[in-house]
Amino acid sequence: MSLLSVRNLSVAFPTQHGWFQAVEGIHLDVNAGDILAIVGESGSGKSVAMMAVMNLLPPTARITCDELKIEGQDLLAMPAKQRRKLNGGTIAMIFQEPMSSLNPCFTVGYQIDEAIRIHLGGSKKERTERVLHLLEIVGIPDPRRRYKAYPHQMSGGMSQRAMIAMALAANPKLLIADEPTTALDVTVQAQILELLLKLQQTQGMGLILITHDMGVVAETAQQVVVQYAGQQVEKQPVFGLFNQPHHPYTAALLDALPERAPAGDFLPTIQGIVPGQKDRPTGCLFSPRCTHAQALCHEQQPALVRNSEQWLRCHYPLNTVEVLR
Amino acid sequence: MFKFILSKIALLIPTFLGITLAAFLFVRLLPGDPVTILSGERGISDERRAEMIAQFGLDKPVIVQYFSYLKNLLQGDFGQSISTHRPVVEEFFERLPATMELAFFAILIAVLIGVPAGIIAAVKRGRWPDHVLMGSALTGYSMPIFWWGLLLIMLFSTTLGWTPVSGRLDIINYYFEPVTGFMTVDAWLSGQEGAVKSALHHLILPSVVLSTIPMAVIARQTRSAMLEVLGEDYIRTAYAKGLPTWRVIGIHALRNAMITVVTVIGLQVGTLIAGAVLTETIFSWPGVGKWMIDAISHRDYPAVQGGLLFISMLVMLVNLIVDLMYGWINPRVRDGK
Amino acid sequence: MKLFADDAWRTTWNYFKESKGGLWGLGFLGLVMICVIFADVIAPFDPSLQNRDALLLPPIWTEAGHWPYILGTDAVGRDMLSRLIYGARYSMFIGFVVVSLAVIAGTLLGLLAGYYQGWVDTIIMRLMDVILAFPSLLLALGLVAVLGPGLVNAMYAIALVMLPHFVRLTRANVLSEKNRDYVVASRIVGASNWRLMFNSILPNCMAPLIVQATLSFSNAILDAAALGFLGMGAQPPIPEWGAMLAEAREFISRAWWVVTFPGLAILLTVLSINLVGDALRDALDPRMRRS
C-alpha cells in the first residue's frame, strides 16, 4: 500500500473569464521512504496540486478527484476538521519563501512549539525540549537563543531550517517540499537540500520534492512526474526518465541541461511559452511548441495512459518500440 | 528604545511650536480690542486700560509677546477665564476626567464591537454577514452623531424611560466628594450601594453615541487589515501546521492585523474629542467639550485658546503613545531602532 | 487640459457599475440634486412661510396629520417637507464650495511642496501638521469663534480643516510621479515647471484626489451640520438641516418628526456620498480596492 495515492486530481479557479484549469488529471503514488519529484515550469500547477492535497486552497477553488488516500485513509470522505488534523501530523509541507512563511509576530520557538502542542501535546517543559532538539537536528546553532528569535532576525537559510524543524515537529509520514531552495542563496541551496535528504532518510519519511531543477531530480528522486500547463504529461522512475524520456517535453527539458548539451554549442531552448487561460490549443497542450508534433497532435488531446510504472500523455512517444497505446 | 522615544519626541517640537503660535495668534486675530478680549472688561477707564496693557504685555513687540506667552505656558500659566476669573488650567483639568471617562467607555465599546465585526466581515468576505456588517459600518460612519444622540434620547429616555436624559449621576439619592473625577471610580470608592450602577446608567447612552464613528472606522479598518493578512504566506503555514481555524484567525492573523488596527484606534482620539463636543452638548455632560462650547458662546476667549491648546497637546500625546505602542507591538520595528 | 481619456471614463464606469451600493448612492444623490435644482417647483410651500393654524402638526400618516403637510410642520407652522427640500440646496452648496476651496488650495500647495521640496516643502508641511494637530471639528469651532458664527465663515473654517489631506495626498503623488520617465522626458524637451506640474504630473494624481474629494464632500456636509447644530454655522431661520435640528431640540419629547427628518436627510445624503466614494475608490484604483 502506498503512503499517498492520488487519482485524477483536478483544480480549477473562478476568474472573470470563466474557470481556469490550474491542474488537470494528476496521478501520484508515494511509498514510505521514497522520494517523488514533480518537475515543470512555473505555472504548471505543481504547487497548486500539492496544496489541494493539503486542503490549503481558498474555498473558491473547485477541486475534483477520483481518489485521495493517505495511509489508506480516504481524505475525500473525511470532514474538513479531521482532515486539518492530518496536516502537520501525517503530512507536512514546507514552502518556497521561508521568510514570509513564518509569522513575523511570533518567535520561532513559539511557532514550532505550536505544532507540537497541537499534535503531540505534553508539558511545556517537554515541548521546549523537543523544540530545542528539532532546532538542533536541522542544524541551527545555539538553539536556546534562536528559540526566542523573531523571523526577521534570521537569514533565509535559517528560516527554511526553522520551517523544516516545524514540519518535522510531529514526525510526519510524508513531507511535501515546494521548491524549498528556490528563494535562497546558491551556497545555501545545497545545504538545505542535503539536510532535507538526510532527514528524509533518518526519519524514513516519504518526500515529494517540487522543483524545476533537473539536476536535483537526477540526484535524489526515485520517481519523477513531469507537468506541463497543469497536466501531468509523463511519469517514470528516474533512471528511465533520464535515459529514455517518452514525452517530447521531457526530452526537451533534458536537452536544455548544460551538462547534457554537446560542448561548445548553444544550449537548446524550448521555443514559445506555456499557454495561458485564453490561448489554450485545441489539441495537445504542448503541440504548439513541440518539434515532433503532427496533425493529430493539433486536433485531439492525448489521454493519460498507464503502463505499469509509467504514465504518459502523448500521441507519438519517443524512445519506444512498443506503442504505449 | 530610549533613543527611539527621544527621536519621536524631537519630531513633535516644531508642531508644538506651531500650535502655540496658532493659539497665540488666535487671540490677536480676533476683531476688536485685545484688552477687552483678554480681560472681558468693557468701558474701562484709561488708567485701568494702561494697567491691563502692561499686565498682558501688549505694549511690547509681538515677537516678545509670543515668547513671554510661551514662557508662561511652560510655567503652566494658560491664562485666566473671563467668566469665572479662574486659571484656565484649573477649569480644564477639573472637567477633563468627565470627558476621559466618557471617551474611555466609548472606545471600549467601539473596540469590543468594531474589532470582532471587522474580523467576521473579513472571514465571511463577500457573503451576507460581510454585507450586513459593512453596510452598518458605513451607516455609522455617515452618522450625524448629534442627531443619533437625540434619536436615542427620544427612544430610550423619553419614550421607554430606561435611561436618564442628562448628567453623570442620580444626584438626588447619591452624593460623594470627587476623588479621581471618574464618576464610576468615585462611586465605587464611596461604597454607596447602587452608586456605580447609577453612574453606568448615565454613561451608557452618551458613550454609545460617542462610540458610533470610531466603531465604524475600526470595523472597516480591521476588515481590510484582516483581508490583507489572511492572504499572507504565514497563514498558509499555520493551516499546513494543522492549527484549528479559530487559532489561525484569532491568533496568527489577528496578531498581525492588530498592528494596523492599534494605530487606527489611536488615531480615533481626535475624532473622539470632536465627537465629545457634540455628545456632551446633547447629554449635558460636564466635560471639556461642553465647556469649550460654553466658552465660545460666552466669548471667553482665553478659555477657548487654552482649551484648544490643551486638547491639541493631548491629541499629540496620544499619537506619540500610539507611535511607541506600534513599535512595541511590531517586533520588526521594535529592534529595528 | 484633458484629465481623462474617454476610454478611462468608460472603464471607471464599468467598474463602478459592479458596486450595488455605489449605484444606490448615485440614485439617491440624483434625487437630492432634483430637489436642489427644482426646489421652487417641487416644494409645496415657501420654506419660511409660517402657518399659525398648523403648529407642530404631525406627518400625514398619523391620526392628527393632514394634507398638505406631508411630513408635518415645525413649532412655528412651517412645512417640514418644504424646508427639507430647500435644505438640500444648502447642504450640497456647502459640500461643493468647501470641497472646491480645499481641492484647489490643497492641490496647489501640494504641487508646490512636492515639486520644489526644500524650504517651501518644509514650511507648507509643518503648517499642515499644525492644522492636523487639532481635532477637525474643534479647530473649525475655534475659527468660527474668531470669524463669527455664520454659514459662510463655517464653510471657510471647514475648508481650512480639510486642506492638509489634499496637500499631503497631492504631495505624495507628485513625489512618486516626479521621477517617472514621462516627466523626465517632458523636462528634457524643455517643458516649463508650471507646464510640467499641471499637464504632466497633476492628471496622473487625479484618481486618489477624486476619491478624497468625494469623501471630503460628505465630511463637509456633516461638519457644517454639526456647526449649524451647535449654533455656529447657518443661523435660523435658514432651513439648513443642522440648524433645523438645533431648533428642534426642545421639542424632543413632543414632536418626534421635527427631530427625526432633518437628521435622516443628513444621514441618507452623507451615506449616499460615502457609498459613491467607496465605489469610486474601488473603480478608479485597483491598488486601493478594498476587496
Side-chain angles (χ1 to χ4, degrees):
Chain A
M1 184 185 65
S2 57
L3 182 58
L4 172 77
S5 79
V6 179
R7 288 290 168 276
N8 200 21
L9 171 71
S10 297
V11 182
F13 294 104
T15 68
Q16 281 192 324
H17 314 282
W19 289 93
F20 169 64
Q21 198 71 41
V23 173
E24 198 177 338
I26 301 286
H27 302 260
L28 294 176
D29 283 284
V30 187
N31 295 321
D34 263 9
I35 300 180
L36 170 90
I38 305 181
V39 291
E41 290 164 78
S42 341
S44 58
K46 299 167 295 188
S47 306
V48 175
M50 288 305 107
M51 300 238 242
V53 170
M54 297 280 287
N55 205 15
L56 293 179
L57 293 172
T60 47
R62 189 175 65 189
I63 304 168
T64 53
C65 195
D66 293 347
E67 185 187 304
L68 185 58
K69 281 187 177 164
I70 182 128
E71 289 190 297
Q73 305 177 70
D74 188 358
L75 294 180
L76 297 172
M78 213 179 261
K81 247 190 189 155
Q82 204 182 337
R83 216 178 142 182
R84 174 77 53 75
K85 283 200 181 121
L86 291 177
N87 280 4
T90 310
I91 336 170
M93 187 162 180
I94 57 174
F95 303 95
Q96 213 179 102
E97 298 282 347
M99 309 282 263
S100 59
S101 293
L102 288 166
N103 193 323
C105 283
F106 297 99
T107 61
V108 170
Y110 178 88
Q111 295 185 54
I112 301 174
D113 179 71
E114 222 178 4
I116 302 172
R117 188 165 26 166
I118 290 284
H119 297 288
L120 305 178
S123 71
K124 174 82 183 125
K125 195 165 163 280
E126 289 165 1
R127 296 198 315 259
T128 310
E129 282 304 312
R130 178 151 177 81
V131 174
L132 295 174
H133 170 69
L134 286 166
L135 288 174
E136 203 171 319
I137 61 171
V138 298
I140 290 182
D142 200 356
R144 273 184 196 284
R145 195 166 63 84
R146 290 298 178 180
Y147 187 98
K148 295 192 199 87
Y150 283 93
H152 70 272
Q153 295 163 325
M154 310 214 300
S155 66
M158 278 297 160
S159 299
Q160 195 60 294
R161 284 175 196 268
M163 281 297 291
I164 295 172
M166 193 190 298
L168 296 181
N171 296 315
K173 303 276 171 40
L174 175 68
L175 177 64
I176 302 172
D178 182 359
E179 304 203 29
T181 58
T182 312
L184 304 176
D185 288 345
V186 185
T187 46
V188 185
Q189 286 187 355
Q191 293 172 10
I192 294 288
L193 195 67
E194 203 175 308
L195 173 71
L196 265 180
L197 296 175
K198 192 186 91 192
L199 291 169
Q200 182 262 334
Q201 298 244 301
T202 52
Q203 314 268 326
M205 295 181 294
L207 175 66
I208 296 179
L209 189 62
I210 300 175
T211 179
H212 49 237
D213 187 339
M214 275 298 202
V216 170
V217 175
E219 286 168 34
T220 57
Q222 278 95 41
Q223 297 283 331
V224 186
V225 167
V226 181
Q227 271 190 224
Y228 182 77
Q231 290 184 335
Q232 181 172 341
V233 292
E234 181 163 13
K235 185 189 171 198
Q236 274 211 65
V238 69
F239 185 79
L241 187 104
F242 275 83
N243 290 299
Q244 290 182 319
H246 296 313
H247 199 282
Y249 177 61
T250 316
L253 277 182
L254 293 171
D255 285 342
L257 285 177
E259 49 271 54
R260 285 189 154 226
D265 211 348
F266 282 111
L267 274 180
T269 52
I270 309 176
Q271 297 294 322
I273 50 161
V274 185
Q277 189 191 354
K278 283 181 182 168
D279 52 359
R280 285 204 153 208
T282 42
C284 170
L285 293 183
F286 188 58
S287 61
R289 304 171 74 186
C290 183
T291 46
H292 305 273
Q294 296 177 34
L296 178 64
C297 299
H298 295 293
E299 283 156 20
Q300 197 190 330
Q301 271 214 16
L304 189 64
V305 220
R306 179 179 191 174
N307 183 345
S308 79
E309 279 206 286
Q310 303 183 6
W311 292 83
L312 184 65
R313 192 191 283 275
C314 184
H315 290 301
Y316 304 102
L318 309 170
N319 300 321
T320 176
V321 276
E322 46 170 335
V323 176
L324 273 163
R325 250 177 309 158
Chain B
M1 190 65 197
F2 185 63
K3 249 186 163 172
F4 178 62
I5 297 175
L6 275 186
S7 69
K8 288 277 175 197
I9 293 175
L11 276 175
L12 290 179
I13 291 174
T15 316
F16 172 76
L17 287 176
I19 290 168
T20 55
L21 188 64
F24 170 78
L25 289 175
F26 169 77
V27 166
R28 266 118 199 114
L29 287 177
L30 283 168
D33 180 12
V35 174
T36 312
I37 288 165
L38 287 172
S39 68
E41 294 179 35
R42 287 164 199 282
I44 47 177
S45 63
D46 288 349
E47 231 169 90
R48 175 86 180 122
R49 197 184 151 74
E51 202 180 301
M52 287 284 181
I53 286 176
Q55 189 195 328
F56 294 123
L58 291 172
D59 45 353
K60 302 198 184 84
V62 176
I63 188 84
V64 177
Q65 286 184 39
Y66 172 64
F67 279 109
S68 67
Y69 173 68
L70 204 59
K71 202 176 121 206
N72 286 343
L73 290 184
L74 292 176
Q75 287 168 346
D77 177 9
F78 283 71
Q80 215 176 46
S81 160
I82 293 171
S83 24
T84 60
H85 297 288
R86 292 175 57 209
V88 171
V89 188
E90 273 179 30
E91 297 254 322
F92 184 85
F93 282 100
E94 206 172 86
R95 288 167 176 84
L96 186 62
T99 302
M100 278 172 70
E101 187 174 40
L102 181 60
F104 173 78
F105 278 89
I107 207 80
L108 195 70
I109 295 171
V111 170
L112 288 183
I113 298 178
V115 170
I119 297 172
I120 293 170
V123 172
K124 303 277 174 194
R125 172 188 185 174
R127 281 178 282 167
W128 68 264
D130 185 18
H131 294 309
V132 170
L133 287 170
M134 285 306 109
S136 315
L138 196 68
T139 310
Y141 181 70
S142 311
M143 190 65 81
I145 60 166
F146 44 97
W147 174 69
W148 179 227
L150 293 179
L151 218 57
L152 291 182
I153 290 175
M154 223 154 65
L155 182 63
F156 290 106
S157 307
T158 323
T159 311
L160 295 171
W162 289 357
T163 53
V165 179
S166 65
R168 297 177 73 190
L169 191 74
D170 176 4
I171 44 170
I172 297 170
N173 292 317
Y174 305 103
Y175 177 77
F176 39 83
E177 285 295 322
V179 184
T180 59
F182 295 90
M183 196 55 85
T184 43
V185 179
D186 287 351
W188 180 66
L189 289 177
S190 77
Q192 295 176 32
E193 205 176 317
V196 175
K197 207 179 147 200
S198 169
L200 287 174
H201 202 204
H202 282 76
L203 245 172
I204 181 80
L205 270 199
S207 44
V208 164
V209 168
L210 187 54
S211 75
T212 307
I213 289 179
M215 188 193 298
V217 175
I218 290 171
R220 278 161 66 93
Q221 297 288 341
T222 304
R223 177 183 181 270
S224 64
M226 280 297 280
L227 280 182
E228 199 174 319
V229 168
L230 285 174
E232 296 281 351
D233 285 353
Y234 50 78
I235 296 303
R236 189 181 58 190
T237 308
Y239 280 123
K241 208 153 60 167
L243 299 183
T245 308
W246 70 265
R247 216 185 145 80
V248 177
I249 291 165
I251 297 194
H252 280 257
L254 191 60
R255 181 67 173 68
N256 283 278
M258 270 303 141
I259 296 172
T260 335
V261 174
V262 163
T263 317
V264 172
I265 294 172
L267 294 177
Q268 290 311 302
V269 172
T271 316
L272 222 48
I273 290 178
V277 173
L278 294 164
T279 313
E280 289 176 3
T281 308
I282 298 165
F283 289 94
S284 309
W285 190 265
V288 291
K290 187 168 186 311
W291 174 69
M292 286 286 289
I293 291 292
D294 291 344
I296 292 175
S297 45
H298 296 146
R299 301 181 186 281
D300 187 347
Y301 292 117
V304 178
Q305 181 193 34
L308 274 175
L309 199 56
F310 270 127
I311 288 170
S312 61
M313 273 159 53
L314 209 67
V315 172
M316 268 169 68
L317 184 72
V318 174
N319 287 347
L320 177 72
I321 293 171
V322 171
D323 241 18
L324 297 178
M325 258 176 84
Y326 181 79
W328 173 70
I329 199 172
N330 186 349
R332 274 169 292 192
V333 176
R334 193 190 311 160
D335 54 48
K337 304 283 153 100
Chain C
M1 175 168 75
K2 195 164 192 180
L3 294 179
F4 271 130
D6 297 338
D7 197 39
W9 284 115
R10 201 171 315 121
T11 318
T12 307
W13 171 244
N14 281 337
Y15 276 114
F16 187 91
K17 276 193 313 198
E18 307 241 311
S19 156
K20 264 195 203 131
L23 290 178
W24 274 104
L26 208 61
F28 186 80
L29 282 183
L31 212 67
V32 175
M33 280 317 288
I34 290 174
C35 290
V36 169
I37 300 166
F38 301 109
D40 306 314
V41 185
I42 302 172
F45 292 94
D46 183 287
S48 48
L49 183 73
Q50 305 182 355
N51 181 354
R52 293 288 154 145
D53 299 328
L55 302 182
L56 286 179
L57 207 61
I60 196 161
W61 58 85
T62 57
E63 230 161 82
H66 62 72
W67 190 260
Y69 298 105
I70 299 174
L71 294 182
T73 58
D74 68 4
V76 288
R78 293 173 295 198
D79 179 45
M80 285 298 291
L81 181 65
S82 307
R83 286 179 71 71
L84 287 177
I85 291 173
Y86 276 93
R89 280 194 174 172
Y90 287 93
S91 283
M92 294 314 258
F93 174 71
I94 291 165
F96 184 76
V97 173
V98 166
V99 171
S100 306
L101 281 175
V103 166
I104 294 169
T107 317
L108 274 176
L109 288 172
L111 276 175
L112 285 175
Y115 195 86
Y116 289 108
Q117 293 180 292
W119 62 268
V120 179
D121 186 27
T122 311
I123 290 179
I124 293 176
M125 295 323 284
R126 284 292 87 83
L127 265 174
M128 295 304 126
D129 282 351
V130 171
I131 297 180
L132 279 176
F134 296 94
S136 63
L137 185 68
L138 228 65
L139 181 59
L141 269 173
L143 287 167
V144 174
V146 175
L147 303 167
L151 188 58
V152 177
N153 289 344
M155 292 197 300
Y156 286 138
I158 298 167
L160 186 79
V161 167
M162 280 178 178
L163 196 60
H165 300 287
F166 291 100
V167 176
R168 285 190 162 189
L169 196 63
T170 314
R171 175 177 175 272
N173 276 297
V174 170
L175 286 183
S176 70
E177 295 288 332
K178 205 172 131 172
N179 293 320
R180 294 275 177 87
D181 290 345
Y182 71 93
V183 178
V184 176
S186 322
R187 190 175 299 135
I188 291 169
V189 298
S192 73
N193 284 346
W194 282 101
R195 204 186 141 75
L196 259 180
M197 280 198 269
F198 282 100
N199 285 4
S200 300
I201 300 179
L202 190 58
N204 282 287
C205 354
M206 251 4 240
L209 273 176
I210 289 177
V211 173
Q212 179 66 35
T214 317
L215 297 176
S216 298
F217 201 102
S218 61
N219 271 330
I221 293 179
L222 266 186
D223 280 0
L227 288 179
F229 178 75
L230 292 170
M232 302 291 160
Q235 301 293 314
I238 293 180
E240 194 269 334
W241 295 336
M244 282 171 75
L245 271 174
E247 286 181 83
R249 253 185 91 182
E250 49 182 302
F251 303 102
I252 191 165
S253 51
R254 299 199 269 146
W256 58 269
W257 59 94
V258 293
V259 179
T260 309
F261 295 129
L264 200 62
I266 302 173
L267 172 64
L268 289 178
T269 309
V270 171
L271 180 61
S272 303
I273 299 170
N274 284 338
L275 280 169
V276 171
D278 269 7
L280 260 183
R281 174 180 51 194
D282 292 356
L284 278 173
D285 192 346
R287 280 168 304 172
M288 285 159 85
R289 269 175 211 166
R290 274 192 306 140
S291 48

